[in-house]
Amino acid sequence: MAAKRKAQQASEGSKQAILEAVLARAAEVGYEGTTMAEVARASGLPIGSVYWHFQNKEQLFVALLDYCFEVWKQTNASVDGMRDFVRRSISESAAASASVADPAAAFWSIGLVFAFERRLEDNLARQRYLAIREEMFEFVTSRRRASYPEVPEDIAAELAHDMAVMGRAFTDGFRVAAAAGDDTDFARYAELAADALESLVATRLKEYTHD
C-alpha cells in the first residue's frame, strides 16, 4: 500500500508540474505556440510522461482550463459584494492578464482566443472554455442573487443576471485592453465600473419599490 501511495503521489506531482509548465508556456506563446515537447522541457519530465497523462494538446489544455477555473473559484469564494468582485476582476485579474508574471490571470485572456477562433469550433479545449464561461456566469449570478434578500425572486434573478452580464463584459473588455497594451488605469476604471453597476442596481431597486 505504501509503495502504491508513493507512486500515486509521484504521478500527481508530475501532473502538477506539467500543468504549471503549460500554464507558464501558454501565457508566453498562447495555445498555437505551445507544443507537447516544449511542455516536457519546461516541466523537466520526459515527453513520454507528458503523453502518459495527456494524449494530446487539446486534452492538456482542457486540464489546464479546469485547473485555472479551480484557482479562480478559490480566489473568489470569499469575495464579499459586487464592488469587491469587480475590483478584483478588473484591477487585479484583467490588469495582470497581459503579464507572464501572473500566468493564472494571463490564461483567461488566452482563453478568449478560443471564443474568437471559429476554426477551433471542434477543439475540445474551446468547448471546455465556453462551458467554463457558463459555469463562471452561474457562479457570479448565484452570488449576486443572494445580495438582494428583500427583493422578490424574479426581480432578484433579473438583477443578478444583468449584473453578471455587465460584469463579464467589463472584465473581457479590460482583458483585451491589457493584451493590446492600452495605457489604462485599471484601478480607476474598476472603481468607475463598480460605481456604474451599483448605480444601475439602485435605480432598478428604486423602480421596484415605486411600482
Side-chain angles (χ1 to χ4, degrees):
M1 289 293 294
K4 183 177 180 180
R5 184 163 56 250
K6 187 175 181 180
Q8 289 175 336
Q9 290 173 345
S11 179
E12 286 302 311
S14 295
K15 185 176 180 180
Q16 183 65 26
I18 292 168
L19 289 175
E20 290 176 358
V22 72
L23 179 55
R25 188 63 184 158
E28 185 174 355
V29 299
Y31 177 77
E32 295 290 353
T34 301
T35 67
M36 300 289 273
E38 288 170 343
V39 169
R41 283 195 294 272
S43 66
L45 296 168
I47 194 167
S49 180
V50 178
Y51 277 106
W52 188 82
H53 286 284
F54 308 101
Q55 291 183 356
N56 52 47
K57 189 166 75 171
E58 286 185 39
Q59 288 191 357
L60 179 58
F61 269 75
V62 167
L64 181 59
L65 281 161
D66 286 332
Y67 170 69
C68 288
F69 187 37
E70 286 303 316
V71 172
W72 183 87
K73 286 191 291 186
Q74 291 170 16
T75 301
N76 289 281
S78 60
V79 175
D80 184 26
M82 180 175 63
R83 178 169 290 276
D84 192 18
F85 181 79
V86 171
R87 182 171 59 249
R88 283 173 179 255
S89 297
I90 296 174
S91 66
E92 295 180 18
S93 180
S97 63
S99 171
V100 296
D102 188 351
F107 190 77
W108 293 117
S109 287
I110 297 168
L112 287 175
V113 173
F114 292 122
F116 292 132
E117 286 284 4
R118 296 291 183 181
R119 64 190 178 83
L120 296 176
E121 186 171 358
D122 296 326
N123 185 289
L124 294 177
R126 180 180 191 270
Q127 293 171 6
R128 182 58 187 139
Y129 170 73
L130 296 179
I132 285 177
R133 277 180 67 84
E134 290 305 309
E135 291 179 49
M136 293 174 86
F137 186 83
E138 291 301 321
F139 178 94
V140 175
T141 300
S142 65
R143 293 304 182 95
R144 296 286 68 78
R145 285 175 73 168
S147 301
Y148 317 119
E150 305 301 322
V151 176
E153 176 62 22
D154 60 334
I155 302 297
E158 182 180 9
L159 268 176
H161 181 272
D162 289 348
M163 292 306 99
V165 169
M166 294 292 290
R168 183 167 64 179
F170 278 135
T171 304
D172 284 350
F174 281 110
R175 285 199 176 108
V176 172
D182 292 353
D183 183 14
T184 302
D185 184 342
F186 289 95
R188 176 172 181 264
Y189 286 103
E191 294 299 331
L192 288 176
D195 288 344
L197 293 178
E198 287 184 339
S199 177
L200 177 58
V201 170
T203 299
R204 295 279 290 279
L205 289 177
K206 186 177 180 179
E207 290 174 353
Y208 161 71
T209 56
H210 284 80
D211 283 344

